[in-house]
Amino acid sequence: MSRPVRHEIPPRSGAAFTLDRGQRLTVIDPQGEQVADLVAFRRDDLDEVISSGRTIDYASRIFLTTGDPIYSNRSNVLLRIVEDTVGRHDFLLTPCSADTFRIIYGDEHPHRGCFGNLAEALAPYGIEPDRIPVAFNVFMHVTVDGLSGEIAVRPPLSRAGDRVSFVAETDLVVGLTACSALQSNNFSFKPIHYEIES
């Protein structure tokens, strides 16, 4: 088997690509403390998409790691986590957007965020912005107060070279970003790498 090609997503940008059933996608944090928003759609029916609600419901917990399936809005498994060197990711918060930066950070001229980057990357596959779901936020460190329900975004626990690998359970279209939100990435924007292997 040939060595997989490593691709780089530059800071504050995104990419989209296809993933065939059985292929393995590895998302790598090359420098540490950088989040990657991941979304996936069933290739032959783009209305079927990853679902945080169904996945968390069936797992009975909010923090997913090795061995956990990621379900669709139709309760089918689209991806399965098969390797995870960090063990803490987020599946609660929506991709950051221009509105995120306007409402939360008060930016007058906001960046388009992961949502805008995903929308641009996924458009050639016929995926419109309103179809973009809550992302699986690889490496994102979100804490939840068990009494009040208050959430807080903390610096990622990932260090240089940390990775998460997923196996596709069906043919997919995948969107992936190097997250654009300052707080999510400990106030420093860095690239994300990914590899695909059969």
Side-chain angles (χ1 to χ4, degrees):
M1 187 181 343
S2 61
R3 185 178 179 86
V5 176
R6 183 168 292 196
H7 304 272
E8 180 171 290
I9 301 175
R12 303 192 97 183
S13 69
F17 46 87
T18 59
L19 197 63
D20 296 337
R21 181 180 180 181
Q23 285 189 312
R24 178 176 174 135
L25 168 66
T26 300
V27 180
I28 302 144
D29 185 350
Q31 297 179 25
E33 297 189 331
Q34 175 62 45
V35 170
D37 287 25
L38 182 149
V39 296
F41 301 77
R42 186 181 179 103
R43 201 185 313 166
D44 62 1
D45 185 351
L46 298 173
D47 287 330
E48 185 165 7
V49 61
I50 61 169
S51 169
S52 75
R54 297 207 181 275
T55 301
I56 291 169
D57 190 5
Y58 303 148
S60 297
R61 54 194 165 81
I62 60 175
F63 300 127
L64 306 175
T65 188
T66 304
D68 285 322
I70 297 179
Y71 284 89
S72 76
N73 54 322
R74 295 177 184 162
S75 298
N76 297 312
V77 178
L78 297 188
L79 291 161
R80 193 175 302 274
I81 304 171
V82 294
E83 181 187 10
D84 180 3
T85 65
V86 178
R88 179 57 68 93
H89 315 279
D90 169 68
F91 209 3
L92 297 175
L93 302 185
T94 192
C96 63
S97 65
D99 288 329
T100 302
F101 300 132
R102 179 178 57 82
I103 293 169
I104 294 178
Y105 298 110
D107 292 354
E108 293 184 7
H109 304 286
H111 189 273
R112 66 184 182 178
C114 286
F115 185 84
N117 288 331
L118 287 168
E120 180 181 67
L122 292 164
Y125 294 93
I127 298 169
E128 297 180 356
D130 284 343
R131 277 179 158 167
I132 296 172
V134 171
F136 184 78
N137 299 306
V138 184
F139 309 126
M140 189 172 185
H141 184 195
V142 174
T143 59
V144 182
D145 185 290
L147 294 178
S148 69
E150 182 179 357
I151 60 174
V153 177
R154 307 293 187 193
L157 300 178
S158 55
R159 298 295 176 254
D162 274 328
R163 61 188 53 222
V164 182
S165 294
F166 307 83
V167 168
E169 295 290 332
T170 190
D171 295 343
L172 300 171
V173 175
V174 174
L176 188 66
T177 72
C179 180
S180 303
L182 278 167
Q183 191 175 27
S184 298
N185 305 294
N186 203 18
F187 299 91
S188 176
F189 302 123
K190 299 166 290 292
I192 282 290
H193 291 173
Y194 69 93
E195 297 175 346
I196 298 172
E197 57 187 314
S198 299

